[in-house]
């Protein structure tokens, strides 16, 4: 059963299914294992993300809080809508028989993250699913991408350069 690390967890290619496991805790664990500086940056960012709205609530600045939360909702909602309109899903299990191809993008350190796009057919329509890989800033980032390439090929899934 081939499997490999992803940005927030693992991808398992067990028998006839591509299965993705992910969690925020898994993401933090990956950062801690691969680069302590990124891990502590993530911890500080989470504290700021939680502390700022809490501070605004306690200080009575509800107008600023509304602007911040509205901006976050707008950005996240826009990104989700964009992915949906382009045919991307968040499916956690995809039958390997439905997979048409997988495109691989190596990414560039500091600019883009390595990733795979799984193209598959579901209910007569072509769907896509991102499989985001660990950052190239992490100690094992490049090795994880190579392991994922090998795992897809080992499972009989064609991988093309993206």
């Amino acid at each position: 059963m081939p499997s490999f690390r992803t940005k927030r967890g693992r991808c398992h290619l067990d028998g006839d299914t591509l299965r993705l496991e992910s969690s925020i805790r898994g993401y933090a664990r990956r950062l801690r294992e691969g680069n302590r500086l990124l891990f502590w940056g993530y911890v500080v960012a989470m504290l700021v993300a939680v502390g700022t709205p809490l501070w605004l609530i306690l200080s009575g600045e509800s107008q600023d809080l509304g602007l911040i939360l509205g901006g976050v909702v707008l950005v996240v909602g826009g990104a989700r809508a964009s992915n949906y309109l382009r045919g991307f899903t968040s499916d956690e299990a995809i039958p390997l028989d439905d997979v048409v191809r997988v495109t691989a993008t190596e990414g560039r350190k500091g600019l883009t993250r390595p990733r795979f796009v799984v193209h598959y057919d579901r209910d007569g329509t072509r769907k896509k699913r991102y499989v985001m890989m660990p950052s190239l800033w992490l100690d094992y980032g490049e090795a994880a991408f190579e392991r994922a390439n090998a795992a897809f090929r080992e499972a009989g899934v064609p991988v093309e350069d993206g």
Side-chain angles (χ1 to χ4, degrees), residues 2-6 10 13 102 104-107 113-116 131-136 138-155 157 159-161:
S3 72
F4 55 89
R5 291 178 173 193
T6 62
R10 293 197 73 78
L13 299 165
V102 174
T105 304
E106 289 186 36
R113 181 181 293 276
R115 62 198 171 279
F116 293 90
V131 178
M132 301 302 283
M133 300 302 297
S135 170
L136 294 175
L138 301 178
D139 296 341
Y140 55 83
E142 290 179 29
F145 183 75
E146 294 305 320
R147 172 68 185 123
N149 259 319
F152 278 121
R153 289 193 172 97
E154 188 178 320
V157 177
V159 178
E160 305 169 353
D161 287 335

Side-chain angles (χ1 to χ4, degrees), residues 4-135:
F4 55 89
R5 291 178 173 193
T6 62
K7 177 182 176 182
R8 291 191 178 108
R10 293 197 73 78
C11 178
H12 301 281
L13 299 165
D14 37 337
D16 57 350
T17 306
L18 180 149
R19 190 170 38 87
L20 292 160
E21 298 172 349
S22 67
S23 69
I24 297 297
R25 192 170 139 214
Y27 182 54
R29 188 175 332 123
R30 298 279 180 259
L31 287 177
R32 190 184 73 234
E33 290 170 2
N35 188 316
R36 297 267 182 192
L37 181 60
L38 284 177
F39 170 73
W40 287 110
Y42 178 74
V43 168
V44 169
M46 287 293 107
L47 290 173
V48 169
V50 171
T52 300
L54 185 61
W55 179 76
L56 289 172
I57 289 170
L58 293 176
S59 67
E61 299 290 331
S62 60
Q63 183 179 6
D64 291 342
L65 178 63
L67 289 173
I68 290 172
L69 293 178
V72 168
V73 167
L74 186 65
V75 168
V76 171
R80 294 282 182 168
S82 171
N83 279 345
Y84 176 78
L85 292 173
R86 293 182 299 140
F88 284 94
T89 68
S90 58
D91 292 342
E92 293 179 359
I94 301 169
L96 287 177
D97 291 340
D98 293 349
V99 175
V100 177
R101 73 179 194 277
V102 174
T103 56
T105 304
E106 289 186 36
R108 296 183 64 189
K109 191 172 187 174
L111 293 176
T112 58
R113 181 181 293 276
R115 62 198 171 279
F116 293 90
V117 177
V118 179
H119 301 260
Y120 64 100
D121 292 327
R122 168 94 26 105
D123 299 326
T125 59
R126 179 67 46 94
K127 300 288 184 181
K128 296 180 269 188
R129 172 66 158 100
Y130 277 119
V131 178
M132 301 302 283
M133 300 302 297
S135 170

